[in-house]
Amino acid sequence: MAVATVDEAEFAALKAEIAAWVAGPGEEWANRIEETGDVPPELFAELKDRGWLSLAAPAELGGRGIPFSRYLELLELISKSHGSIRMLVHVINGTWRAMAPYATPELLDEVVKPSVAGDKLVAFTLTEPDNGTGADITTSVRREGDDYVMNGVKHLITFGVKADYLLIAARLEGSTGNDGTVAFAMPNRLPGAEVIDDSDTMGVRGTDHAILKFAEVRVPAKYRLGEEGQGLEVALGGFLLPSRVSVAMSAVGLAERAQELAIEFSKERVTFGKPLAQRQVIQFYIAENFGRIAAAKSLIIQAARTYEQGAPEASALSSAAKMIAVEMLATVTDNALQVFGGRGYWKKNAIERVYRDARAQRFEEGTNEIQKLVVARAAITGEANTEGILNW
């Protein structure tokens, strides 16, 4: 599979633009989001106008066609900002991957292209209160003429309150396993659907989350993505696999922000006549953070490249990258907070927000327990091994 290239001068200018925005206006927006608990429409409009919601999609869908592995360089920078800003850029630059290969021309025009343009918001809708790994979903549909009738509950759905459409996976009534799953790109709030705002979270403040209840909701069949039986192929391969790599890189970006804050504070804070940066214990924290970030980033880049090439190790590496990156992020942010001592516990310091936002990535796009199952299965069956990965 050929991987597209970028104009390096233009790409460097784009990276500089994002970095400057994150350090300046981005911090102002972050403070406003923390104060209000909401992402204002003006911020969404600014991200759209800057073209940051359509970085990765191909030109035929209205995007800028930046290759996945290079797009991650941009997401890394954006992830140094507020968690809700990163979430918008990450999700909108990803949902088209699941929808486009399976969408009819009509769905491309109604849902996919407007999503890439930032005119419509699509929420990825998989997790259920008692199910979340994919094949165990119980939200069901049955075919009645030109409609499917949906029943069930989804929860922890990011953007589920404000979304215009839902990228949702369900299963045919009476089916089990993967073969009975069906995916839709359906309008939110169809008659019979209840949307419950469940947005009061520890971190990533401002991003709305919903509980969605469906009771005999009629979904026109024209909103189906692909064929019956392809539901998990759409949800897992089309969205979750690359999204896990994206979450991993966002963990790198946030860890780098925590490291920057810790280094800056260690140079300013003086105890017993000497800056913290000159104390060995603080230097050890900073050195450990540096090594962990660099190691995780290397694995993520490898995962991105195998995904671009369609290599057999892509799924295992996607989960491995996410698994390693979020564990790294937990350690790095904890070390960074420790450098601040008690001061880091107060909300007036950015490290406090970074610490809270970091915790969400431990379960975003699947917990590490799920990632370990994916990696273990691939390793045991021989679908992925370290020799093949290193020689790729």
Side-chain angles (χ1 to χ4, degrees):
M1 182 191 302
V3 178
T5 59
V6 297
D7 182 296
E8 292 299 337
E10 292 181 2
F11 191 72
L14 178 57
K15 291 181 71 173
E17 175 193 344
I18 292 174
W21 185 90
V22 168
E27 277 299 293
E28 296 175 10
W29 281 119
N31 292 333
R32 179 172 170 182
I33 292 170
E34 287 297 307
E35 291 171 1
T36 64
D38 186 51
V39 174
E42 311 93 271
L43 172 55
F44 189 94
E46 182 172 345
L47 296 174
K48 172 188 172 182
D49 291 344
R50 287 180 175 273
W52 297 352
L53 303 180
S54 54
L55 296 167
E60 57 266 29
L61 295 180
R64 299 172 72 164
I66 295 174
F68 181 62
S69 58
R70 304 307 303 276
Y71 156 72
L72 291 181
E73 296 178 38
L74 307 178
L75 184 63
E76 177 185 357
L77 294 172
I78 291 167
S79 299
K80 294 183 179 183
S81 188
H82 192 280
S84 286
I85 296 174
R86 186 275 302 179
M87 189 74 78
L88 280 169
V89 174
H90 163 207
V91 172
I92 296 174
N93 275 286
T95 48
W96 66 269
R97 295 182 188 278
M99 296 185 290
Y102 304 92
T104 62
E106 292 74 21
L107 270 183
L108 285 174
D109 289 338
E110 180 179 344
V111 183
V112 182
K113 292 179 181 178
S115 171
V116 170
D119 294 327
K120 298 294 182 181
L121 183 59
V122 178
F124 181 66
T125 311
L126 177 66
T127 306
E128 300 176 356
D130 298 312
N131 314 289
T133 61
D136 60 344
I137 58 174
T138 57
T139 294
S140 66
V141 290
R142 66 177 185 273
R143 185 69 183 258
E144 290 187 359
D146 293 332
D147 297 333
Y148 286 87
V149 181
M150 181 177 291
N151 289 279
V153 180
K154 301 287 188 178
H155 82 154
L156 307 183
I157 305 305
T158 303
F159 304 132
V161 178
K162 295 179 181 178
D164 301 290
Y165 291 88
L166 305 175
L167 170 54
I168 189 169
R171 69 167 53 260
L172 296 172
E173 283 188 1
S175 70
T176 58
N178 295 358
D179 293 340
T181 58
V182 190
F184 300 89
M186 58 184 261
N188 198 6
R189 301 177 186 274
L190 288 172
E194 182 182 4
V195 178
I196 301 170
D197 193 332
D198 193 31
S199 303
D200 193 13
T201 54
M202 174 192 294
V204 197
R205 305 288 292 175
T207 297
D208 71 85
H209 302 274
I211 299 170
L212 306 175
K213 296 184 177 181
F214 306 96
E216 294 292 291
V217 174
R218 301 193 75 87
V219 182
K222 68 178 183 178
Y223 290 112
R224 191 184 71 206
L225 291 167
E227 303 297 328
E228 293 181 357
Q230 289 187 302
L232 287 187
E233 178 183 326
V234 173
L236 301 183
F239 181 75
L240 276 184
L241 194 161
S243 188
R244 283 169 175 162
V245 183
S246 298
V247 170
M249 187 58 90
S250 71
V252 166
L254 194 57
E256 289 172 335
R257 178 59 175 151
Q259 175 83 324
E260 291 169 358
L261 290 169
I263 291 173
E264 179 182 332
F265 183 78
S266 73
K267 292 177 179 179
E268 296 173 353
R269 172 67 167 152
V270 175
T271 61
F272 301 100
K274 188 162 65 172
L276 290 180
Q278 294 182 17
R279 300 190 179 278
Q280 189 180 67
V281 66
I282 301 301
Q283 293 173 350
F284 282 4
Y285 280 140
I286 291 170
E288 291 166 3
N289 284 355
F290 179 90
R292 287 187 172 96
I293 293 170
K297 189 172 180 178
S298 179
L299 175 58
I300 293 160
I301 292 170
Q302 183 75 1
R305 289 172 178 168
T306 56
Y307 169 73
E308 286 178 325
Q309 297 295 334
E313 297 88 2
S315 178
L317 272 180
S318 169
S319 288
K322 202 265 180 177
M323 176 181 72
I324 295 301
V326 297
E327 290 177 349
M328 172 277 296
L329 179 60
T331 301
V332 168
T333 52
D334 196 63
N335 283 349
L337 189 67
Q338 192 68 12
V339 170
F340 277 80
R343 294 189 187 189
Y345 202 66
W346 264 250
K347 287 185 177 294
K348 63 184 178 181
N349 292 304
I351 190 62
E352 185 271 345
R353 184 189 81 229
V354 169
Y355 190 82
R356 283 187 289 108
D357 283 356
R359 190 59 180 84
Q361 297 189 22
R362 293 289 291 274
F363 55 82
E364 187 179 344
E365 312 299 34
T367 65
N368 266 12
E369 288 73 19
I370 293 298
Q371 311 310 327
K372 290 174 184 177
L373 288 175
V374 173
V375 174
R377 187 180 302 119
I380 292 169
T381 60
E383 294 176 7
N385 60 77
T386 53
E387 181 182 359
I389 291 168
L390 292 173
N391 288 336
W392 179 81

